[in-house]
Amino acid sequence: SVLSSVSDLATMMRGAALNGGSMFEVVGKGLGKLFEGVPDKEKLALYADLGHTLDSLSGKMVTRRFSDAEGARGVLGTMQKWFFTLNLQNRWTDANRSGVAEFLSMNLARNANKEFSKLPANLPEILKLYAIDEGKWNIIRQAIAREDGPTFLTPQKVTELPDEVFSAYLEKGGFEVSPRAIENLRKETARDLRAYFTDQKDHLLITPDWGVQGMLKMGTRKGTPAGEAARFVTQFKSFPLAFATQGIGREYSHGGLPGVAKLMAVTTLM
């Protein structure tokens, strides 16, 4: 299954370009992680802060990319887990998702000195999808963290910013400035940033989400005739549908037909 996953590099490259970053950097990071050892506790803490967990610890995310999100249980489930471990699919997914998570954080950190309107490519438009407007960007871009050299922008650092940063946002927006309002804004801003990392990671390395599962199962219940029929017919269709909505749909919404053409070209190359 790893051989069929090489096209992941194409969606990573296009996602990086839409976020205003280098296509070759994200691929280099992903492939480079294949040859790294087990992350230390600081790196694991960084990944958790960015909404990323290692698939090799659970196997759930890898399974969700290939079959029904509910997965197999018992002996078959154990066999399935070992299958994805021994053929290196878990390793491939872990490495690339870790590389994507780091890339997204470092890309924002590199642009932290820029005004919202001066951010590259479609990045302002993408950030707005997660309720990050100009005011919140001015808060977030102060949340710089360093991890053995590289510079990251993280949700945890957002929560550590002084109250004055958040009160300035509230005052400018005409909101009441109080300890509760400041704390709520602090949590909301960190949550919005983490949502950006979590969701974009699943768009760069396409992973079917619950929206895709909902479309496939059409509101049917497991154990009913209609529910079992829907699950049987669509059990291997979650990734193609996710590619259509998260890959092709993303390209079309941000770049129209030329964007779709670029995706077709790079996936064909891979």
Side-chain angles (χ1 to χ4, degrees), residues 32-95:
K33 296 288 180 186
L34 287 171
F35 305 100
E36 292 185 5
V38 178
D40 56 30
K41 64 178 183 179
E42 287 80 12
K43 188 70 75 174
L44 289 174
L46 172 66
Y47 291 156
D49 194 21
L50 300 178
H52 168 53
T53 56
L54 298 181
D55 298 330
S56 58
L57 300 180
S58 65
K60 292 181 180 178
M61 296 298 289
V62 170
T63 302
R64 187 151 61 94
R65 301 191 74 208
F66 289 91
S67 60
D68 193 291
E70 296 163 7
R73 295 175 175 83
V75 175
L76 187 59
T78 301
M79 292 172 63
Q80 187 181 59
K81 181 179 179 180
W82 277 106
F83 171 77
F84 286 124
T85 298
L86 295 176
N87 74 2
L88 301 181
Q89 183 67 56
N90 275 328
R91 181 67 174 171
W92 171 271
T93 306
D94 269 349

Side-chain angles (χ1 to χ4, degrees), residues 90 108-109 128 160 164 184 204 221 223:
N90 275 328
L108 289 187
K128 287 179 181 178
E160 298 173 2
E164 293 75 17
N184 287 341
L204 267 70
R221 291 191 177 190

Side-chain angles (χ1 to χ4, degrees), residues 31-210:
L31 295 181
K33 296 288 180 186
L34 287 171
F35 305 100
E36 292 185 5
V38 178
D40 56 30
K41 64 178 183 179
E42 287 80 12
K43 188 70 75 174
L44 289 174
L46 172 66
Y47 291 156
D49 194 21
L50 300 178
H52 168 53
T53 56
L54 298 181
D55 298 330
S56 58
L57 300 180
S58 65
K60 292 181 180 178
M61 296 298 289
V62 170
T63 302
R64 187 151 61 94
R65 301 191 74 208
F66 289 91
S67 60
D68 193 291
E70 296 163 7
R73 295 175 175 83
V75 175
L76 187 59
T78 301
M79 292 172 63
Q80 187 181 59
K81 181 179 179 180
W82 277 106
F83 171 77
F84 286 124
T85 298
L86 295 176
N87 74 2
L88 301 181
Q89 183 67 56
N90 275 328
R91 181 67 174 171
W92 171 271
T93 306
D94 269 349
N96 283 291
R97 287 174 68 86
S98 298
V100 165
E102 287 190 21
F103 163 80
L104 291 170
S105 181
M106 293 175 67
N107 184 55
L108 289 187
R110 275 195 299 268
N111 290 286
N113 63 333
K114 298 177 182 178
E115 298 292 332
F116 190 73
S117 59
K118 301 293 179 62
L119 292 175
N122 296 283
L123 188 53
E125 182 181 348
I126 292 174
L127 289 175
K128 287 179 181 178
L129 296 174
Y130 307 96
I132 300 175
D133 55 12
E134 182 177 3
K136 284 187 179 178
W137 170 248
N138 289 333
I139 294 175
I140 288 171
R141 64 186 182 140
Q142 301 180 55
I144 298 295
R146 295 189 179 277
E147 181 78 23
D148 297 330
T151 302
F152 298 92
L153 203 155
T154 67
Q156 179 60 37
K157 282 297 179 180
V158 170
T159 65
E160 298 173 2
L161 293 173
D163 291 353
E164 293 75 17
V165 175
F166 300 96
S167 61
Y169 177 92
L170 293 170
E171 290 174 358
K172 187 175 181 180
F175 300 104
E176 176 190 0
V177 180
S178 66
R180 174 174 290 184
I182 290 174
E183 187 60 25
N184 287 341
L185 179 59
R186 188 193 308 274
K187 293 179 179 179
E188 177 185 306
T189 306
R191 184 171 61 245
D192 292 341
L193 181 59
R194 188 172 288 110
Y196 164 77
F197 290 132
T198 302
D199 194 53
Q200 284 297 305
K201 177 165 45 61
D202 283 351
H203 278 65
L204 267 70
L205 192 71
I206 291 178
T207 304
D209 57 18
W210 292 108

Side-chain angles (χ1 to χ4, degrees), residues 68 70-73 217 219-229 231:
D68 193 291
E70 296 163 7
R73 295 175 175 83
K217 295 170 184 175
T220 60
R221 291 191 177 190
K222 190 174 184 179
T224 64
E228 292 304 311
R231 285 159 175 75

